[in-house]
Amino acid sequence: TTNDDIVFNTAVVLAANLILDTDTGIGNISFNSTIDGANSLTLIAGTGTINQNAAIGSGTRLNNFTLTSGIYNTNNNNIDIINFSNSGTLNAGSSAITVNENWINSGTFAEGTSSVVFGDNTLADINTITTGGSPFFHFAITADTYDNLTDDMTINGNFTVSGGTFQPGNNTITM
């Protein structure tokens, strides 16, 4: 659309990869119910706002979740995905975000009091975490090996490794 709002009032099931684009202006995107499906979701909202008013991936986790632009508000709803890529602003609030492969942040991740959990992934040999300078609040690894931290990391809450391994390489972890 061209600066128009996009609103989903019922559950969204991704049967294929989906790109939602409101252009470079102030168009907003609202999800008022769940989003599920083993496909990719890319959101482009220019200077607009994206509101998540229910869980993402609670039935079937998304393969890729990409925020290209805009201000994304989780509104304290949970997210379960395989890959995360952000070049916009993600306001996490108190959400639980589960990522099962890669976290690539080149935008702003406003951690709030959220928990980011890196879980089991049998698809990738190398799991990458790029913080982009944005801190985590609670950070946990529950399975698999995360051996490609590409930059320094700050954790303002709890740091937990309860399964798998975490190898930060030569990068600094500040807590």
Side-chain angles (χ1 to χ4, degrees), residues 80-101:
D80 189 356
I81 53 180
I82 294 177
N83 292 295
F84 170 75
S85 178
N86 176 39
S87 54
T89 298
L90 177 72
N91 294 319
S94 62
S95 298
I97 301 171
T98 302
V99 177
N100 290 285
E101 193 171 304

Side-chain angles (χ1 to χ4, degrees), residues 6 11 20 71 149 162:
I6 301 172
L20 298 176
I71 299 170
L149 178 63
S162 61

Side-chain angles (χ1 to χ4, degrees), residues 3 19-29 41-51 65-73 85-90 106-108:
N3 301 321
I19 299 172
L20 298 176
D21 186 350
T22 64
D23 207 9
T24 59
I26 59 172
N28 300 312
I29 302 171
L41 176 63
T42 300
L43 303 173
I44 305 165
T47 59
T49 300
I50 303 163
N51 284 300
F65 179 74
T66 303
L67 175 60
T68 300
S69 63
I71 299 170
Y72 189 96
N73 299 308
S85 178
N86 176 39
S87 54
T89 298
L90 177 72
S106 61
T108 300

Side-chain angles (χ1 to χ4, degrees), residues 2 6 12 24 30 52 64 122 159:
T2 304
I6 301 172
V12 174
T24 59
S30 295
Q52 173 190 337
N64 299 298
T122 57
F159 175 59

Side-chain angles (χ1 to χ4, degrees), residues 109 111-115 135-139 154-159:
F109 174 68
E111 80 276 17
T113 58
S114 67
S115 298
F136 292 98
F137 192 73
H138 297 306
F139 177 93
T154 299
I155 301 168
N156 292 322
N158 298 325
F159 175 59

